[in-house]
Amino acid sequence: VLNITEYQDCYTNGGADPSAPCIFPFIYDGMNLKCTYNGNFGNETEPWCSTKVDDMGRHIENQGNWGYCGENCPLPGKY
């Protein structure tokens, strides 16, 4: 179980929704995720997070609800 408050200072630093709080965990492609490289939107070198999920915790796609993970975020490989 992910403690959401543990990453409360995690904001996006670019992408479609800059300076927005990341939502953890979020479900994308059937997986519970923190920051991820999965399904990157044109930039495979930057991990991203969801900034909006539905009532089941699924990332809301195709509406710009994502951003690149900032410095206080749980980056892939650092959990």
Side-chain angles (χ1 to χ4, degrees), residues 8-78:
Q8 65 186 357
D9 293 328
C10 173
Y11 290 87
T12 60
N13 66 0
D17 194 4
S19 301
C22 289
I23 297 173
F24 300 124
F26 64 93
I27 298 171
Y28 180 77
D29 201 22
M31 295 179 284
N32 280 315
L33 300 169
K34 300 177 196 172
C35 294
T36 184
Y37 292 101
N38 291 6
N40 269 15
F41 308 99
N43 186 339
E44 297 300 328
T45 63
E46 295 288 330
W48 66 278
C49 68
S50 178
T51 57
K52 188 171 183 182
V53 297
D54 66 14
D55 59 0
M56 299 294 290
R58 295 177 296 225
H59 171 62
I60 297 175
E61 295 186 65
N62 304 317
Q63 295 181 16
N65 301 312
W66 68 275
Y68 297 121
C69 292
E71 64 183 32
N72 292 323
C73 298
L75 301 180
K78 291 188 171 182

